[in-house]
Amino acid sequence: MKLDQLRSFLRSTTARLAVSYLAVIMVLSLSFSFVIYKTSSHELDRQIPPSSLFTAGSGVAGDDFGYHHFFEQRADEARGRLIGRLVLLNLLVLVVGAGLSYYLARRTLEPIEDAMAAQSRFVTDASHELRTPLTAILTSNEVALRKPRLNLAQAKQVIASNIEEMSRLKLLSDGLLSLSRQDVPIDPKPISLQDCAAEAMNQVLAAAQAKHIAIDDKVPKLKVMGDAAGLTQAITILLDNAIKYSPEKSTIYLEAGKDDKQASLTVRDEGIGIAASDLPYIFDRFYRADLARTASTNGGHGIGLSIAHKIVDQHQGQLSVASTPKKGSAFTIKIPLA
Ligand code: ADP
């Protein structure tokens, strides 16, 4: 490792955290060593017979043979050996502790680094999504402004395209707001799944009628634990996608059922379907499958399903998908019964 690399490593958060961990380990190890030394030293002192034993009334005429000194010397030697071992032990703790501290620091920082990377990816993706409609608005306005004689019809066309792009922007900002709101936990209450489905159908009725798509609603009366507004939003997203990615005059089926603990609601369409290679990614933010890009001109920004997924997660439920390209898709929400 070059000196510069070493310096930047030492300045890194991982190194700083590792040093803090190591400092704690060493303080503990040194304190224990000190306590061990003190108690052992005290014990050794206690084992030295008192000098009076070798002098007055001891039966031994004076400490001529230096017995007391001999015991003291042995105690000092033992103390020396103890210090040597404790120093060795602390060196070992330092080496092993350094490795362990680095490992722990990496483990502590990994989830934080992942979250920061996800955050920065989100900002990049969101900025990218914002740029496309903004560039379109800017270009069409600049071109219109440069025209020496702009007639009313042309001006109206520019305004219409501006409005279209701005509604895309509004949809995106609503979606982003919705995504951030889903980080807050919900307060689940017993609610009617049938009512949520009916409300969601109401919201997409105009879009379905525009494409002459029929929605076959077979949701029975079922009570689930959840937040009515959130659940309605999740079903609306699934219905909205089903309409977007289905041909005109097709049918969308809305079905529901239950087992011991959970209710399940499925939105099934006869649309373009999703390629197996796209399936693992469709719940990711800003992901749009190629099939969808080419088939739908009024596509969104690829955040609808991630919002739906977050809402279902908040409900302690699962959102799954089964799809066959050119045949259709079925999205199923499973959430706990009330
Ligand atoms: P978008 O706004 O692009 O619809 P979503 O997050 O709602 O974003 O969906 C992500 C992608 O999943 C879509 O771009 C599309 O490729 C695919 N998808 C979602 N629902 C369907 C569906 N019912 N039929 C086919 N593809 C779908």
Side-chain angles (χ1 to χ4, degrees):
M1 206 192 279
K2 290 201 192 98
L3 205 66
D4 277 355
Q5 281 174 309
L6 184 71
R7 243 186 243 136
S8 70
F9 166 75
L10 284 177
R11 250 185 263 125
S12 72
T13 320
T14 315
R16 266 186 271 162
L17 190 63
V19 168
S20 313
Y21 284 157
L22 186 60
V24 173
I25 294 174
M26 286 319 294
V27 165
L28 285 176
S29 172
L30 288 169
S31 311
F32 276 122
S33 304
F34 181 73
V35 171
I36 290 171
Y37 176 77
K38 274 288 176 201
T39 13
S40 308
S41 174
H42 183 67
E43 266 314 299
L44 285 170
D45 282 342
R46 263 166 41 100
Q47 278 168 20
I48 301 174
S51 48
S52 57
L53 197 73
F54 306 107
T55 53
S58 62
V60 182
D63 188 11
D64 294 343
F65 300 108
Y67 285 124
H68 183 71
H69 183 65
F70 168 73
F71 280 112
E72 263 185 353
Q73 214 174 354
R74 273 193 44 173
D76 283 345
E77 277 169 20
R79 256 195 287 272
R81 276 199 303 276
L82 183 65
I83 289 177
R85 277 180 200 155
L86 287 176
V87 168
L88 259 179
L89 182 77
N90 276 286
L91 281 175
L92 194 74
V93 170
L94 183 72
V95 174
V96 176
L100 190 70
S101 301
Y102 181 72
Y103 170 74
L104 288 176
R106 284 253 25 91
R107 288 212 47 177
T108 315
L109 291 176
E110 237 163 43
I112 301 169
E113 280 170 0
D114 286 351
M116 278 171 69
Q119 182 82 7
S120 105
R121 216 177 319 126
F122 175 67
V123 172
T124 316
D125 290 346
S127 320
H128 184 77
E129 289 295 322
L130 283 167
R131 248 174 100 174
T132 319
L134 280 175
T135 313
I137 293 171
L138 209 71
T139 320
S140 69
N141 281 305
E142 275 173 0
V143 170
L145 207 63
R146 266 197 228 116
K147 278 192 180 155
R149 268 183 295 276
L150 188 73
N151 63 35
L152 188 65
Q154 286 168 328
K156 278 192 171 176
Q157 203 184 348
V158 174
I159 295 173
S161 102
N162 280 354
I163 290 176
E164 196 181 312
E165 292 302 338
M166 280 190 253
S167 19
R168 269 173 69 84
L169 276 175
K170 187 176 176 306
L171 226 101
L172 175 61
S173 75
D174 287 350
L176 293 177
L177 258 178
S178 217
L179 259 181
S180 68
R181 232 177 276 136
Q182 258 79 64
D183 288 331
V184 184
I186 56 158
D187 176 23
K189 292 185 184 76
I191 52 167
S192 157
L193 188 63
Q194 198 180 39
D195 288 354
C196 292
E199 177 53 35
M201 268 184 30
N202 255 342
Q203 296 197 23
V204 298
L205 208 64
Q209 277 169 353
K211 282 180 87 173
H212 306 287
I213 289 175
I215 303 178
D216 183 11
D217 175 16
K218 288 206 187 87
V219 180
K221 276 200 163 86
L222 275 175
K223 284 260 179 226
V224 292
M225 282 308 278
D227 167 62
L231 200 56
T232 306
Q233 190 184 1
I235 303 170
T236 309
I237 290 169
L238 299 185
L239 282 174
D240 193 46
N241 278 347
I243 295 168
K244 270 196 300 198
Y245 303 115
S246 287
E248 291 201 357
K249 295 186 184 129
S250 58
T251 307
I252 291 168
Y253 301 88
L254 193 55
E255 295 145 352
K258 65 169 184 169
D259 59 21
D260 295 351
K261 289 181 193 146
Q262 284 185 310
S264 69
L265 177 139
T266 301
V267 176
R268 191 157 52 82
D269 64 52
E270 300 165 329
I272 57 170
I274 303 162
S277 55
D278 287 316
L279 276 180
Y281 308 107
I282 56 167
F283 297 109
D284 291 353
R285 281 183 307 211
F286 304 113
Y287 187 83
R288 302 200 68 216
D290 281 342
L291 266 180
R293 283 178 207 279
T294 43
S296 159
T297 45
N298 61 339
H301 297 275
I303 49 177
L305 281 184
S306 52
I307 295 173
H309 197 267
K310 269 197 164 187
I311 294 173
V312 177
D313 266 359
Q314 278 181 317
H315 284 76
Q316 320 286 337
Q318 301 95 36
L319 174 59
S320 57
V321 56
S323 186
T324 316
K326 297 195 187 125
K327 287 243 165 82
S329 314
F331 285 85
T332 301
I333 294 175
K334 283 192 177 172
I335 55 167
L337 285 164

